[in-house]
Amino acid sequence: MEQLKTIGRELAMGSQGGFGQSKEFLDLVKSIGEARSKAEEDRIVLHEIETLKRRISEPDIPKRKMKEYIIRLVYIEMLGHDASFGYIHAVKMTHDDTLLLKRTGYLAVTLFLNDDHDLIILIVNTIQKDLRSDNYLVVCAALNAVCRLINEETIPAMLPQVVDLLAHSKEAVRKKAIMALHRFYQKSPSSVSHLVSNFRKRLCDNDPGVMGATLCPLFDLITIEVHSYKDLVVSFVSILKQVAERRLPKSYDYHQMPAPFIQIRLLKILALLGSGDKQASENMYTVVGDIFRKCDSSSNIGNAVLYECVCCVSSIYPNPKLLEAAADVISRFLKSDSHNLKYMGIDSLGRLIKMSPEIAEQHQLAVIDCLEDPDDTLKRKTFELLYKMTKSSNVEVIVDRMIDYMISINDNHYKTDIASRCVELAEQFAPSNHWFILTMNKVFEHAGDLVNVKVAHNLMRLIAEGFGEDDDAADSQLRSSAVESYLHIIGEPKLPSVFLQVICWVLGEYGTADGKYSASYITGKLCDVAEACSNDETVKAYAVTALMKIYAFEIAAGRKVDMLHECQSLVEELSASHSTDLQQRAYELQAVICLDAHAVENIIPSDASCEDVEIDKNLSFLNSYVQQSMENGAQPYIPETQRSGMLDTNFRSQDQPEASLHGLRFEAYELPKPPVPSRIHTASLEPSTELVPASEPAYPKDTHQVATVPSVSDAGSSELKLRLDGVQRKWGRPAYSSSAPSPSSSTSQNTVNGVTQIDAAGSVISKAHKTNDSRKPRVEISPEKQKLAASLFGGSSQTEKRSTSASHKVTKAVSHAAGKSQAPKSAVVSNQVTVEKTIHQPPPDLLDLGEPAVPSTTPSVDPFKQLEGLLDPTQVSSTANHGAVGAATESPDIIALYGKTPASGHSSSAAISLPTNGDGVNFTAGLLDATLSTAHAEQLSV
């Protein structure tokens, strides 16, 4: 009650300006809050800017007033206006000795400046001084500024002091020091790479807040290099177990959940460490199962922890019981009325479906409800789930649904994503080539130019290659169906440019192949396309080339060519076009028409678009001509790499080695020589046209010597010299040697082989859901939903390959194009893996003290724990008797004695209560492995 009265008095004082702010400042805040429009707010702020510019430049301003002016500048910056005229005053306030003013200055500076600002250099010394302060509040303010303002160039100036603060007596300082080191690592990983072991040490801190802050940098480190931190699995599991058992103080609870943010971070770390590792995952099964049972799902934070548990289960090595618990959580999410929980359920189902595909069939009606939900975000997430569970039996329904949704939205970014997914699913699981072509037509027609150009090229290659086998009838049927569909679509308005290019190419190649359509009909359609796209030169080029192919095929077949009037006018128009490409195509068309059948057949063979063209790079057919020309006195050809660009051949031969040696030098500069006083006679100052030879250059000789003109007198050569050190001695452009790019390191990931456990988990889950569903009353389901569910989930649950030969041949054309590019990539990856193996370093030790560990036999007592005051003298003998095995198997209670706060919840019978130093809690005993402790004990003994 007394606290409520105090708060009331403080609020009353604040409304009257009792916190040190004037009534003018409070009126400013009130007027900004009551502004009814942006224009009125801008008018108030601009008036305040003019007032502050006038007042802040006055001499001898009291510190109290200056503090208020700085806070008013913060308000101006927060509202989006420029307050740069007051930045320097905020920097000056950080130099003040008063704690309140210093903290106000640091707050304003961190909000005003960024790490690249010019004023940063003015506060570096102030931050260094404040980091050595005896007042821990000043140190905390300086550490806050370090996290916000220090850039990569100033990290070395702050790094030693921040590392020293890791051993500070105040837990708030240690926590902020960890955060500062984490920020340094994000800015420049190489500058703190030798200090990674400090994060391991702080994981054993007595304060849970410091330990929780250490989890953030460890998560980033584990994300990059998992194998170096496998030894910490037992430590993370021990921490998570004790947090879940409510052994932390009540101050860490949030909505009656024990330290939920620490739990979420630990679950993320365990998901990384347990991925593909059966031994590490087995250590996690118990604690993750306990969280599933104990977690409260009535609050948002409890559901967040459950969702993270499902993500962890989907990442680690599969376990049937955990998969069953995750399926129950997903079922509760999907049956909830909250759209947020449904979204989490769809996302969790998409993660778990990779390990147990049967789970999706159990929730098929819930998935259909989400697909028909008006919430656009939930609908998009459901489409992602359907994309993951697509197979040959349900691809038609899913792709049709995705195309319908793509037509209904206006978001070009998401429309591009859906179009690419439809194309990918159609290429992988198409039941027939006819369906594939119709689907691609829909995608091109409605997605427009958002479709990738590679998709159009893959479609043309598929139509050209056909089924890929000796089935000419099927290939002809495929091409005929494509021509019919394109002739039907070509009359529609506003077709995308990429789609028109595909149509022109197909009509030019196969428009008259089956004899169903005449050449005049096809050429008339192509001329209509060219006239409709008068501003698109690419479509015009495709149309003219298609016309040339059709006329060439007619001439090769011996038929008479009658060019339509509109085709003639089109060719004449393009012959005078500003585009040289269109001009060339038009002239080529006129030239081809005038040739005979044999020549046309050799120039443009029928159905040869996918045949490999042999290219003679050496131009061997010109050998006889070259030989005859050289016999007649012609000069031999000089490659471009051997040309120097100079007229004299002597200089050319001299220039080539210099160009190869001319590059970047990394040698140290020459030390300056003491100046020698020169005595220049009057006779030597007369004008002369002769050059005096220079002395020998001091750097290594990597250029050729240039002949110098001898001087008349030897005295002149010792007194006045023309220095030519490092001066390039030729005309022309210099050549620089390029360094070979270093291969980037690549990582490989092992595949999880858990098929037997997944099948077992699926059977357990299905049995559990059958028993749960039998207790609930039946709900009437509409026939439409039953039909849609049967089409989506009715097929086999396992991943299917295309059974028919026709469906298999659709993707063969696409894979044929991608197969050539995969071979060189695999070679590069193998080289990268080889380089990575050569530069791999062993993982850092948990408590690396910089001295080599001396091998020893059976250790009796851990001196490190004894130095820290973690063991009583009475426990030394018992510790020696138990040995390393007992230390590794038992899980100690490391938080139960935290401060003077009694631990809430039940304690485990296997936990060992350890004494503490003062009022702190000992995290070290439960986190250090026995073998690591032994090694460090030997280091300390040395």
Side-chain angles (χ1 to χ4, degrees):
M1 194 63 185
E2 291 295 332
Q3 293 180 352
L4 292 177
K5 292 181 180 180
T6 304
I7 294 174
R9 285 195 298 268
E10 290 179 352
L11 290 175
M13 292 175 61
S15 62
Q16 301 173 3
F19 282 132
Q21 283 78 32
S22 63
K23 187 176 183 302
E24 183 181 0
F25 172 71
L26 297 176
D27 291 341
L28 170 66
V29 177
K30 183 178 179 182
S31 61
I32 291 175
E34 294 176 353
R36 296 186 178 182
S37 64
K38 179 64 176 174
E40 183 180 356
E41 178 186 293
D42 292 342
R43 180 180 55 81
I44 296 172
V45 174
L46 291 175
H47 180 267
E48 180 66 18
I49 289 175
E50 295 299 328
T51 304
L52 288 177
K53 282 184 178 179
R54 185 177 63 255
R55 294 185 179 179
I56 208 168
S57 60
E58 296 176 356
D60 300 332
I61 302 176
K63 293 182 178 180
R64 177 172 168 272
K65 279 291 183 183
M66 180 58 71
K67 171 177 168 293
E68 180 181 325
Y69 293 159
I70 294 298
I71 296 176
R72 288 159 77 169
L73 289 173
V74 171
Y75 270 86
I76 292 173
E77 283 276 336
M78 289 169 59
L79 293 173
H81 294 266
D82 182 28
S84 57
F85 61 90
Y87 288 177
I88 188 62
H89 297 282
V91 172
K92 290 179 180 178
M93 189 166 286
T94 59
H95 303 163
D96 201 286
D97 294 332
T98 307
L99 177 62
L100 184 60
L101 297 178
K102 182 181 287 292
R103 296 183 69 179
T104 303
Y106 274 127
L107 174 64
V109 165
T110 53
L111 294 175
F112 290 159
L113 309 181
N114 53 40
D115 55 359
D116 295 330
H117 201 276
D118 296 336
L119 295 178
I120 294 296
I121 195 65
L122 300 179
I123 63 172
V124 171
N125 291 334
T126 305
I127 293 176
Q128 288 180 325
K129 183 187 70 174
D130 292 338
L131 289 177
R132 295 189 295 267
S133 176
D134 296 334
N135 191 341
Y136 78 98
L137 295 176
V138 176
V139 178
C140 290
L143 287 173
N144 289 337
V146 165
C147 295
R148 292 279 298 178
L149 302 178
I150 297 303
N151 52 29
E152 186 175 356
E153 297 176 355
T154 51
I155 284 177
M158 302 292 174
L159 188 59
Q161 291 176 299
V162 174
V163 173
D164 294 339
L165 291 176
L166 293 174
H168 200 275
S169 59
K170 287 291 183 178
E171 59 275 2
V173 176
R174 298 199 301 270
K175 179 179 178 180
K176 291 184 182 296
I178 288 290
M179 296 169 64
L181 277 182
H182 186 200
R183 185 62 174 169
F184 290 167
Y185 175 77
Q186 292 176 341
K187 289 279 187 180
S188 176
S190 59
S191 62
V192 294
S193 58
H194 61 289
L195 300 172
V196 173
S197 60
N198 288 277
F199 296 132
R200 289 173 171 257
K201 295 177 183 178
R202 290 303 104 194
L203 190 63
C204 310
D205 197 280
N206 293 335
D207 184 72
V210 180
M211 180 271 298
T214 310
L215 296 177
C216 297
L218 284 176
F219 176 76
D220 291 350
L221 292 168
I222 293 172
T223 303
I224 298 174
E225 183 58 43
V226 178
H227 300 286
S228 301
Y229 298 90
K230 291 285 187 179
D231 57 324
L232 293 179
V233 172
V234 179
S235 302
F236 289 130
V237 169
S238 177
I239 296 175
L240 181 59
K241 179 181 178 182
Q242 298 181 57
V243 171
E245 292 176 353
R246 298 180 179 273
R247 299 188 184 182
L248 261 66
K250 283 288 186 181
S251 59
Y252 288 91
D253 289 0
Y254 179 77
H255 286 273
Q256 299 180 356
M257 279 292 298
F261 302 105
I262 294 180
Q263 290 191 52
I264 290 173
R265 184 62 64 180
L266 285 170
L267 288 170
K268 288 180 179 290
I269 292 175
L270 292 180
L272 293 175
L273 293 174
S275 178
D277 192 340
K278 183 178 181 180
Q279 183 178 1
S281 301
E282 289 175 351
N283 296 326
M284 310 173 190
Y285 291 158
T286 304
V287 64
V288 176
D290 292 341
I291 296 176
F292 271 125
R293 290 189 297 269
K294 296 179 181 180
C295 195
D296 183 18
S297 60
S298 60
S299 61
N300 287 335
I301 192 64
N303 291 323
V305 176
L306 287 175
Y307 168 76
E308 204 58 50
C309 287
V310 174
C311 295
C312 181
V313 170
S314 63
S315 298
I316 64 176
Y317 197 83
N319 179 266
K321 294 182 179 180
L322 291 182
L323 290 174
E324 180 182 355
D328 293 337
V329 171
I330 293 174
S331 177
R332 292 202 300 268
F333 286 164
L334 293 175
K335 294 177 182 178
S336 174
D337 296 333
S338 173
H339 284 81
N340 295 331
L341 294 181
K342 284 184 178 179
Y343 184 92
M344 292 168 58
I346 292 294
D347 184 76
S348 303
L349 191 59
R351 294 174 182 270
L352 215 61
I353 199 174
K354 301 176 183 178
M355 308 179 68
S356 181
E358 295 83 3
I359 297 179
E361 298 180 5
Q362 301 168 10
H363 304 289
Q364 49 186 324
L365 294 179
V367 172
I368 293 174
D369 291 337
C370 295
L371 192 63
E372 298 175 352
D373 197 279
D375 189 349
D376 198 56
T377 305
L378 182 59
K379 188 180 294 186
R380 293 183 181 184
K381 199 66 180 178
T382 309
F383 276 120
E384 292 182 10
L385 173 63
L386 294 178
Y387 169 76
K388 295 178 182 178
M389 53 180 289
T390 303
K391 46 195 174 185
S392 59
S393 60
N394 59 6
V395 63
E396 298 182 38
V397 180
I398 292 177
V399 171
D400 290 342
R401 284 268 181 168
M402 295 175 75
I403 291 176
D404 293 339
Y405 179 69
M406 180 184 66
I407 297 173
S408 63
I409 62 176
N410 297 321
D411 186 1
N412 288 338
H413 176 73
Y414 193 64
K415 185 178 287 189
T416 304
D417 186 42
I418 290 185
S420 62
R421 290 187 176 185
C422 290
V423 171
E424 183 180 352
L425 294 178
E427 290 176 351
Q428 290 182 3
F429 304 105
S432 65
N433 289 280
H434 179 69
W435 177 87
F436 175 76
I437 292 177
L438 293 179
T439 303
M440 298 302 296
N441 293 346
K442 290 181 182 179
V443 172
F444 276 113
E445 184 178 356
H446 298 291
D449 295 326
L450 301 176
V451 183
N452 195 345
V453 180
K454 294 181 180 179
V455 176
H457 293 167
N458 291 338
L459 178 59
M460 290 187 286
R461 179 179 289 273
L462 170 69
I463 296 174
E465 292 185 349
F467 292 140
E469 297 178 358
D470 298 333
D471 192 355
D472 296 336
D475 295 346
S476 300
Q477 183 181 359
L478 170 66
R479 294 157 186 166
S480 299
S481 61
V483 170
E484 290 180 2
S485 62
Y486 291 154
L487 287 175
H488 179 71
I489 295 174
I490 200 171
E492 297 183 4
K494 296 182 180 180
L495 291 176
S497 176
V498 179
F499 194 27
L500 287 175
Q501 296 171 21
V502 176
I503 291 175
C504 292
W505 185 87
V506 173
L507 293 181
E509 286 283 343
Y510 310 107
T512 59
D514 56 353
K516 187 176 180 180
Y517 300 99
S518 63
S520 59
Y521 179 73
I522 300 296
T523 53
K525 290 290 185 179
L526 291 172
C527 290
D528 294 340
V529 172
E531 292 177 0
C533 302
S534 57
N535 297 327
D536 195 338
E537 294 183 358
T538 306
V539 175
K540 281 186 177 181
Y542 270 83
V544 173
T545 304
L547 289 174
M548 182 170 58
K549 290 179 182 178
I550 291 175
Y551 290 136
F553 297 156
E554 291 293 309
I555 294 173
R559 291 187 286 267
K560 184 180 179 180
V561 175
D562 294 329
M563 184 177 290
L564 299 177
H565 176 69
E566 54 264 28
C567 293
Q568 292 178 357
S569 60
L570 176 64
V571 172
E572 292 175 358
E573 177 188 352
L574 297 182
S575 299
S577 174
H578 294 289
S579 173
T580 56
D581 179 59
L582 294 178
Q583 281 189 22
Q584 181 179 351
R585 291 173 188 264
Y587 285 124
E588 287 177 356
L589 173 58
Q590 295 174 350
V592 167
I593 293 176
C594 300
L595 297 176
D596 58 354
H598 179 70
V600 170
E601 188 176 1
N602 291 329
I603 295 173
I604 306 177
S606 177
D607 193 15
S609 58
C610 288
E611 293 182 1
D612 296 332
V613 179
E614 296 181 0
I615 300 175
D616 188 3
K617 296 182 179 180
N618 296 325
L619 305 179
S620 58
F621 58 90
L622 294 176
N623 289 340
S624 58
Y625 173 77
V626 172
Q627 184 67 24
Q628 182 180 358
S629 299
M630 293 182 65
E631 290 176 356
N632 294 334
Q635 294 293 329
Y637 173 76
I638 301 175
E640 186 177 0
T641 56
Q642 299 179 8
R643 303 174 198 168
S644 61
M646 301 185 68
L647 298 177
D648 194 350
T649 56
N650 297 329
F651 289 143
R652 182 184 299 126
S653 61
Q654 177 185 357
D655 213 19
Q656 293 170 8
E658 182 176 355
S660 62
L661 292 174
H662 187 76
L664 297 177
R665 300 195 188 97
F666 298 95
E667 298 89 359
Y669 283 109
E670 178 187 1
L671 294 177
K673 298 179 180 179
V676 179
S678 60
R679 300 177 180 178
I680 304 176
H681 301 282
T682 56
S684 63
L685 296 178
E686 296 178 358
S688 176
T689 58
E690 296 179 350
L691 293 179
V692 181
S695 60
E696 196 74 22
Y699 54 85
K701 298 181 180 179
D702 53 355
T703 58
H704 291 270
Q705 299 292 332
V706 178
T708 57
V709 182
S711 61
V712 178
S713 61
D714 296 337
S717 63
S718 61
E719 294 177 357
L720 181 62
K721 295 183 179 180
L722 179 63
R723 296 299 302 271
L724 298 177
D725 297 356
V727 178
Q728 191 152 348
R729 300 169 185 173
K730 69 181 182 63
W731 291 101
R733 57 184 181 182
Y736 295 93
S737 60
S738 60
S739 59
S742 60
S744 58
S745 62
S746 61
T747 58
S748 59
Q749 186 175 2
N750 296 329
T751 307
V752 180
N753 185 13
V755 178
T756 57
Q757 294 196 12
I758 292 176
D759 297 336
S763 60
V764 173
I765 295 170
S766 60
K767 291 178 181 178
H769 277 275
K770 287 180 181 178
T771 56
N772 293 335
D773 294 340
S774 62
R775 301 176 184 176
K776 299 181 180 179
R778 286 191 168 272
V779 181
E780 292 296 333
I781 303 172
S782 62
E784 295 179 358
K785 287 189 178 181
Q786 292 181 359
K787 185 177 179 180
L788 180 60
S791 59
L792 288 175
F793 306 92
S796 175
S797 61
Q798 296 179 356
T799 306
E800 297 182 0
K801 298 183 179 179
R802 300 176 56 182
S803 57
T804 62
S805 61
S807 60
H808 172 70
K809 296 161 191 172
V810 176
T811 59
K812 187 170 184 180
V814 182
S815 61
H816 175 74
K820 297 181 180 180
S821 61
Q822 294 296 329
K825 289 184 180 178
S826 61
V828 175
V829 170
S830 62
N831 294 335
Q832 294 175 351
V833 172
T834 306
V835 175
E836 182 184 6
K837 290 181 179 179
T838 57
I839 64 174
H840 181 69
Q841 298 179 357
D845 200 355
L846 184 63
L847 297 173
D848 189 4
L849 300 179
E851 298 179 0
V854 182
S856 178
T857 56
T858 58
S860 59
V861 183
D862 190 350
F864 181 69
K865 295 181 179 179
Q866 193 172 10
L867 288 175
E868 292 289 334
L870 302 178
L871 296 176
D872 290 341
T874 58
Q875 290 181 338
V876 173
S877 59
S878 62
T879 307
N881 294 331
H882 282 80
V885 177
T889 56
E890 296 181 355
S891 175
D893 181 5
I894 59 177
I895 313 179
L897 300 178
Y898 180 82
K900 299 182 179 179
T901 307
S904 60
H906 302 285
S907 61
S908 176
S909 59
I912 303 174
S913 300
L914 297 178
T916 62
N917 272 338
D919 295 333
V921 177
N922 178 15
F923 270 97
T924 311
L927 301 179
L928 292 178
D929 191 65
T931 57
L932 295 173
S933 310
T934 304
H936 298 307
E938 293 157 358
Q939 291 179 359
L940 291 174
S941 62
V942 175

